[in-house]
Amino acid sequence: TSPVIRGHWILKNLIGAETPPPPPDVPALDGVISESLPIRERLAKHRESATCASCHNILDPIGFALENYDAIGRFRDWMDGRPVDAQGGFADGSKFEGVSGLEEVLLRRPELFVSTLTEKLLTYALGRGLEYYDAPTVRGIVSRASEQNWRFSELISGIVSSVPFTQRNASE
């Protein structure tokens, strides 16, 4: 139940932001930082290194929003005899509590999630990765969806009527 992995997943799959891979020489937390500390404190110690902080200042706070969920998705209020702290935040300074707080923050900028969802759906529909020349199509679909109150059906209609989809090769 790593906040780092969860934060990376949220950024990549819900917001469409990529994070750089970790440097090759970063030691694991185990053995370097006391395992008796809560994960939030262990990661705070890890962020004391400037090299580590550059990514972890972005990933960790987002990942803490899902801290109430264990490795198999069960909700928990306590972990290791301590109450779960699901306070999270984004690099822009916005703070939130748990999944509902994350959802509220994402709903303030629906174009981020809808753009990412559109890219993923279009990738699936085309059977290939997106290229730079697909960007206007994605922007157009998202723009039309915004005019229709972000309706999912508008995304699907936009994809199936798009030039990349209607003019794809059968061999693709």
Side-chain angles (χ1 to χ4, degrees):
T1 63
S2 167
V4 179
I5 294 170
R6 291 189 307 248
H8 179 263
W9 188 90
I10 290 167
L11 283 170
K12 182 178 179 184
N13 293 295
L14 300 182
I15 301 172
E18 290 293 330
T19 55
D25 58 344
V26 175
L29 290 178
D30 300 334
V32 177
I33 297 173
S34 173
E35 292 183 38
S36 65
L37 292 173
I39 189 66
R40 190 176 285 269
E41 292 176 31
R42 292 175 70 205
L43 288 171
K45 292 270 190 205
H46 190 62
R47 286 191 306 271
E48 289 176 2
S49 161
T51 303
C52 300
S54 62
C55 289
H56 283 275
N57 284 340
I58 297 167
L59 296 171
D60 298 354
I62 297 168
F64 283 125
L66 302 178
E67 194 67 7
N68 282 110
Y69 298 93
D70 69 10
I72 59 171
R74 290 179 301 196
F75 190 85
R76 61 187 177 189
D77 288 318
W78 294 85
M79 186 171 76
D80 299 329
R82 296 180 181 102
V84 171
D85 181 0
Q87 294 180 20
F90 281 108
D92 67 1
S94 58
K95 303 286 183 210
F96 50 85
E97 175 83 26
V99 174
S100 59
L102 173 62
E103 178 184 16
E104 288 174 21
V105 171
L106 292 175
L107 287 172
R108 287 187 216 132
R109 299 275 314 273
E111 69 281 356
L112 294 175
F113 172 74
V114 174
S115 294
T116 303
L117 178 60
T118 302
E119 289 172 1
K120 291 184 179 302
L121 290 170
L122 187 59
T123 297
Y124 181 77
L126 297 177
R128 64 168 175 81
L130 299 187
E131 301 292 340
Y132 70 91
Y133 48 79
D134 294 313
T137 299
V138 172
R139 285 193 302 269
I141 293 168
V142 171
S143 177
R144 287 188 297 283
S146 73
E147 295 166 3
Q148 299 298 318
N149 199 27
W150 307 106
R151 293 178 57 114
F152 183 73
S153 59
E154 191 62 35
L155 297 180
I156 301 302
S157 296
I159 288 168
V160 299
S161 64
S162 70
V163 171
F165 185 79
T166 58
Q167 295 186 359
R168 70 190 188 289
N169 289 329
S171 63
E172 286 186 310

